[in-house]
Amino acid sequence: MLSSSDFASASWELVIQVDHPNEEEQKDVTLRVSGDLHIGGVMLKLVEQINIAQDWSDFALWWEQKHCWLLKTHWTLDKCGVQADAKLLFTPQHKMLRLRLPNVKTVRLRVSFSAVVFRAVSDICRALNIRRAEEVSLLKPSGEYFKKKKRKEKNNKEPIIEDILSLECSPTNSGPPVSPGLYSRTMTPTYDPINGTPASSTMTWFSDSPLTEQNCSILAFSQPPQSPEALADMYQPRSLVDKAKLNAGWLDSSRSLMEQGIQEDEQLLLRFKYYTFFDLNPKYDAVRINQLYEQARWAILLEEIDCTEEEMLIFAALQYHISKLSLSTEIQDFTNESEVDEVEAALSNLEVTLEGGKADNTLEDITDIPKLADNLRLFRPKKLILKAFKQYWFVFKDTSIAYFKNKELEQGEPVEKLNLRGCEVVPDVNVAGRKFGIKLLIPVADGMNEVYLRCDHESQYAQWMAACILASKGKTMADSSYQPEVLNILSFLRMKNRNSASQVASGLENMDMNPECFVSPRCAKKHKSKQLAARILEAHQNVAQMPLVEAKLQFIQAWQSLPEFGLTYYLVRFKGSKKDDILGVSYNRLIRIDAATGIPITTWRFTNMKQWNVNWEIRQVAIEFDQNVSIAFTCLSADCKVVHEYIGGYIFLSTRSKDQNETLDEDLFHKLTGGQE
């Protein structure tokens, strides 16, 4: 017995909260709907009932209980499962977010809270003029990250006002992930390779970026060094477990900001997450190179990565040099630069792109793989035996080293053959002490086989070290990266080779340096200020002639050559183990590390990986390798999805190639990183 019509009996009331842009409080609006009404129809009814003339195009429905966006506007309420008890919020998809960049500057810009983080980061990087957004991600800092600062604020009567660069008008609209041609060679702003300033005529091409020339310079220039007091107040991880905590906050790239509980105007860290920096080009990457330099600088100052005192002084000298150049560059006036006609510049760029690089060198016979052969000294650490190096004749061919008692026995059986594929290569160098050592940690069934090699001089060390590094990645000396690797190692050694000159003494007299700003607090405590300044100025002699961008690239290269570079740590419990271990994830391998001693136990290469998956019920990651090796672990310091995404992300990045025209296969990224949750 129905008194009303059939339609009325099938309809029901739905209460929707509305985020009014101009009002403080959210208002409830009640609509009468039926299950066959689609989401678009609900929004249309809602806007008609609100009856305020404004642009509602960015608004969408957020379902509070299910923690999801209702973005498929053609789906009906029944298909979505929305019933009368659903709490829906009608809210803008783009909201303000504060991002702390690697150079400790905060930018405030409008970001999509409904697009997956992978796409939102791509939009952010486009707004900030950073290429290769796939290497970057958002990190939610742990509570300890800002803890020291807050304690300081309590003692201060005046609140600290943070210097925020506001890019409120930024059009980071989530349309197509990256519009074609946006990063094409001709559309990207070019920079002066000497001082890194943007060439003004090209700024107008980058129309999607809200950065003015002034803002662009803020992001492309390094910040003045922090005072030692400010440095001491920043959070420093003391152990591998502390470092593991820092990496717990990486956001899930396959879900939106809103789904991960990020609030409007919250502060997140924008960081380079994956340590494979593809196609770093001073011509297009002034902002990216500067932010990378800053991330490296802070990693060294806050001891997130370990380095020797000798290396710390080189980093200090480069920082001092860069800060000096940045100050003098900012003072100069670039307005009188000769303007380049935009069309002409675009055409000449296009010409270069179409012609491609002209191959001057004739191709070598690819069947002829070079080999190294020389006298080196070898030592294997054994308990209760002092270090004693013994000389052998070494032959390096393909990816393995064989050694013989002497040169005459080379055609016979070697004493031992070491296969370096998948090994750890650690420099053991002290230039001042004329010590050029290579430490090899070679994976064997029950752990690591440790071998020390000792070279006689720089050039021998550079050749063998480069060969070992390539072999560990499964490459031979025939690879095109061998010679550049040798030159990189040599240039780094030359920087370490401090030539004390009389200029240092005169430099100390008119010194404009606070040496404690350029080294970690622990290093600063070990030395008197004057002594530290003299040593930094000594090291500075080797880099004093470098242009600004080259100095930053040299700093990044030196950072990349540190043994622990690119390792991201997680606290895990391996299946069958009774104690916790540290898992180090790198761009090409996983390392099991003893949490107490920090010594690597086993290394597994991604190239030997057959498959990996996650048991989402018990949150356990299982990986199968060649030769029936399989491992499984649960992650204790972060969600297992974070580790799973790291492994998949590195495998995804290894598929990039120069001829890709800079478009990325986003579906492949989600397939490799998403898991089957």
Side-chain angles (χ1 to χ4, degrees):
M1 298 285 290
L2 291 174
S3 57
S4 57
S5 66
D6 287 346
F7 171 74
S9 65
S11 67
W12 34 276
E13 285 190 340
L14 181 63
V15 179
I16 300 175
Q17 272 191 328
V18 178
D19 244 348
H20 273 292
N22 305 324
E23 293 179 32
E24 291 292 308
E25 288 182 16
Q26 295 170 337
K27 289 190 175 172
D28 286 355
V29 175
T30 306
L31 295 181
R32 182 155 281 281
V33 297
S34 58
D36 58 2
L37 182 64
H38 51 74
I39 299 295
V42 173
M43 295 201 297
L44 193 64
K45 265 191 163 189
L46 189 59
V47 170
E48 282 170 0
Q49 195 153 324
I50 297 167
N51 197 19
I52 296 174
Q54 68 161 64
D55 180 5
W56 295 97
S57 60
D58 190 42
F59 278 65
L61 290 170
W62 166 255
W63 189 355
E64 193 57 56
Q65 297 107 312
K66 292 275 172 122
H67 227 61
C68 70
W69 287 93
L70 301 176
L71 297 175
K72 292 186 172 145
T73 50
H74 58 287
W75 279 26
T76 62
L77 292 173
D78 281 347
K79 190 170 181 180
C80 293
V82 173
Q83 293 173 334
D85 61 346
K87 284 183 187 169
L88 299 185
L89 174 66
F90 193 50
T91 185
Q93 295 174 62
H94 287 77
K95 301 173 190 291
M96 295 309 289
L97 194 63
R98 284 178 302 137
L99 296 176
R100 198 168 194 203
L101 303 183
N103 67 345
V104 200
K105 241 206 166 356
T106 302
V107 296
R108 193 165 174 269
L109 73 171
R110 203 170 290 285
V111 176
S112 172
F113 272 58
S114 62
V116 294
V117 164
F118 184 84
R119 196 167 300 174
V121 168
S122 170
D123 291 338
I124 289 165
C125 287
R126 190 164 61 198
L128 299 180
N129 209 346
I130 297 171
R131 289 193 316 148
R132 305 288 174 200
E134 66 276 10
E135 296 166 1
V136 179
S137 195
L138 296 172
L139 179 66
K140 189 173 182 175
S142 62
E144 286 145 336
Y145 191 82
F146 295 117
K147 206 181 261 177
K148 278 196 172 182
K149 246 187 178 175
K150 282 178 183 162
R151 203 182 307 144
K152 191 182 175 193
E153 278 172 23
K154 278 178 196 169
N155 307 337
N156 276 0
K157 292 193 177 148
E158 290 178 32
I160 292 172
I161 298 160
E162 197 173 10
D163 178 20
I164 295 180
L165 171 64
S166 186
L167 304 175
E168 204 156 335
C169 58
S170 75
T172 55
N173 297 329
S174 184
V178 173
S179 55
L182 178 71
Y183 288 151
S184 70
R185 292 279 178 259
T186 55
M187 293 277 289
T188 313
T190 51
Y191 299 88
D192 184 320
I194 306 299
N195 55 43
T197 55
S200 52
S201 58
T202 60
M203 276 312 293
T204 50
W205 291 342
F206 211 75
S207 53
D208 277 32
S209 173
L211 289 172
T212 60
E213 281 183 53
Q214 180 199 352
N215 289 344
C216 188
S217 296
I218 289 171
L219 301 186
F221 274 121
S222 54
Q223 298 299 296
Q226 292 272 12
S227 69
E229 296 76 38
L231 203 56
D233 270 339
M234 294 178 94
Y235 176 69
Q236 272 184 278
R238 292 284 169 217
S239 64
L240 282 177
V241 176
D242 285 350
K243 290 176 188 178
K245 282 179 193 163
L246 282 178
N247 295 308
W250 288 110
L251 295 188
D252 185 339
S253 297
S254 307
R255 289 160 64 217
S256 69
L257 290 170
M258 198 95 154
E259 287 171 284
Q260 297 181 66
I262 304 300
Q263 305 294 316
E264 182 166 10
D265 223 27
E266 191 170 329
Q267 182 162 31
L268 297 176
L269 310 179
L270 185 78
R271 290 284 180 275
F272 289 88
K273 176 179 181 180
Y274 298 105
Y275 293 92
T276 51
F277 314 126
F278 191 68
D279 183 29
L280 265 184
N281 189 330
K283 196 173 176 188
Y284 310 110
D285 286 327
V287 176
R288 181 174 167 222
I289 288 169
N290 184 55
Q291 296 300 332
L292 250 180
Y293 157 70
E294 290 282 347
Q295 185 160 325
R297 184 167 85 92
W298 285 110
I300 282 148
L301 289 177
L302 300 176
E303 294 183 5
E304 287 169 22
I305 184 167
D306 288 338
C307 64
T308 64
E309 196 170 293
E310 192 176 31
E311 286 160 346
M312 181 70 81
L313 290 167
I314 291 168
F315 287 122
L318 281 165
Q319 282 178 73
Y320 172 60
H321 183 61
I322 289 163
S323 70
K324 267 178 70 173
L325 284 182
S326 299
L327 278 170
S328 59
T329 310
E330 277 175 354
I331 294 160
Q332 288 171 28
D333 180 24
F334 292 105
T335 51
N336 58 4
E337 278 181 29
S338 57
E339 287 285 322
V340 184
D341 177 55
E342 288 182 34
V343 178
E344 229 174 88
L347 284 172
S348 64
N349 260 338
L350 184 64
E351 197 180 316
V352 172
T353 312
L354 291 174
E355 280 178 17
K358 292 190 176 69
D360 300 326
N361 51 344
T362 51
L363 280 173
E364 294 167 30
D365 177 11
I366 52 170
T367 56
D368 180 30
I369 293 173
K371 73 170 190 177
L372 285 174
D374 213 338
N375 281 311
L376 302 177
R377 283 162 297 152
L378 173 121
F379 160 72
R380 284 181 175 285
K382 294 188 180 82
K383 282 175 187 170
L384 304 172
I385 292 180
L386 291 170
K387 261 195 186 186
F389 280 90
K390 203 171 171 191
Q391 186 161 302
Y392 292 97
W393 178 255
F394 281 81
V395 176
F396 200 132
K397 187 127 173 122
D398 291 334
T399 57
S400 55
I401 292 180
Y403 63 94
F404 308 83
K405 281 196 171 172
N406 54 47
K407 188 178 179 178
E408 287 67 43
L409 297 171
E410 189 184 323
Q411 301 311 318
E413 275 294 303
V415 178
E416 190 182 9
K417 192 172 181 181
L418 308 169
N419 184 6
L420 302 193
R421 197 182 278 261
C423 76
E424 293 292 300
V425 184
V426 182
D428 182 23
V429 175
N430 181 338
V431 179
R434 307 299 296 157
K435 171 183 154 190
F436 303 103
I438 302 169
K439 179 178 166 187
L440 300 171
L441 295 163
I442 301 164
V444 288
D446 57 344
M448 300 291 257
N449 187 352
E450 205 171 325
V451 178
Y452 287 81
L453 303 181
R454 184 66 65 81
C455 302
D456 294 327
H457 48 79
E458 284 104 328
S459 58
Q460 188 187 47
Y461 167 78
Q463 288 178 322
W464 285 82
M465 183 68 179
C468 290
I469 290 168
L470 260 66
S472 73
K473 299 173 187 173
K475 295 176 182 176
T476 69
M477 285 176 280
D479 193 85
S480 61
S481 61
Y482 175 66
Q483 280 308 326
E485 188 69 51
V486 173
L487 293 171
N488 277 347
I489 293 166
L490 279 172
S491 72
F492 192 41
L493 289 177
R494 279 190 200 110
M495 282 199 289
K496 284 187 175 186
N497 190 7
R498 300 198 311 277
N499 48 13
S500 46
S502 57
Q503 294 166 320
V504 173
S506 62
L508 275 172
E509 300 307 313
N510 50 26
M511 189 180 67
D512 56 345
M513 182 206 305
N514 186 349
E516 289 83 5
C517 302
F518 301 110
V519 295
S520 68
R522 190 166 50 167
C523 180
K525 279 177 195 159
K526 280 188 191 171
H527 304 281
K528 288 181 180 150
S529 185
K530 231 173 181 178
Q531 182 192 12
L532 195 59
R535 292 185 70 185
I536 291 172
L537 283 173
E538 249 178 67
H540 181 246
Q541 299 302 308
N542 295 316
V543 298
Q545 302 310 314
M546 270 186 200
L548 181 59
V549 176
E550 195 188 318
K552 286 178 186 174
L553 286 169
Q554 194 70 58
F555 192 100
I556 293 164
Q557 255 169 24
W559 174 47
Q560 286 173 303
S561 69
L562 294 176
E564 287 180 21
F565 168 77
L567 279 175
T568 307
Y569 301 103
Y570 291 97
L571 189 66
V572 299
R573 173 72 65 91
F574 278 90
K575 192 176 176 182
S577 173
K578 290 192 169 65
K579 67 183 184 69
D580 301 342
D581 283 302
I582 296 286
L583 180 76
V585 184
S586 179
Y587 70 96
N588 58 358
R589 66 202 189 281
L590 298 174
I591 307 172
R592 182 177 183 173
I593 302 167
D594 187 297
T597 62
I599 294 169
I601 303 166
T602 321
T603 298
W604 302 279
R605 289 262 156 191
F606 290 159
T607 46
N608 301 336
M609 194 189 286
K610 279 160 69 176
Q611 65 169 24
W612 80 102
N613 52 54
V614 182
N615 181 333
W616 294 107
E617 282 176 29
I618 57 171
R619 316 300 282 180
Q620 187 181 68
V621 181
I623 308 175
E624 269 182 54
F625 296 93
D626 295 340
Q627 299 168 335
N628 298 325
V629 175
S630 59
I631 58 169
F633 57 84
T634 49
C635 191
L636 309 174
S637 63
D639 189 85
C640 67
K641 171 69 171 71
V642 177
V643 184
H644 180 275
E645 186 176 306
Y646 242 114
I647 296 168
Y650 272 128
I651 290 168
F652 169 74
L653 293 186
S654 69
T655 65
R656 294 182 295 182
S657 64
K658 286 264 186 190
D659 57 349
Q660 265 180 345
N661 199 14
E662 312 202 12
T663 52
L664 284 172
D665 186 346
E666 196 181 325
D667 291 340
L668 177 65
F669 175 84
H670 292 304
K671 204 176 279 180
L672 287 170
T673 60
Q676 305 305 313
E677 199 170 2

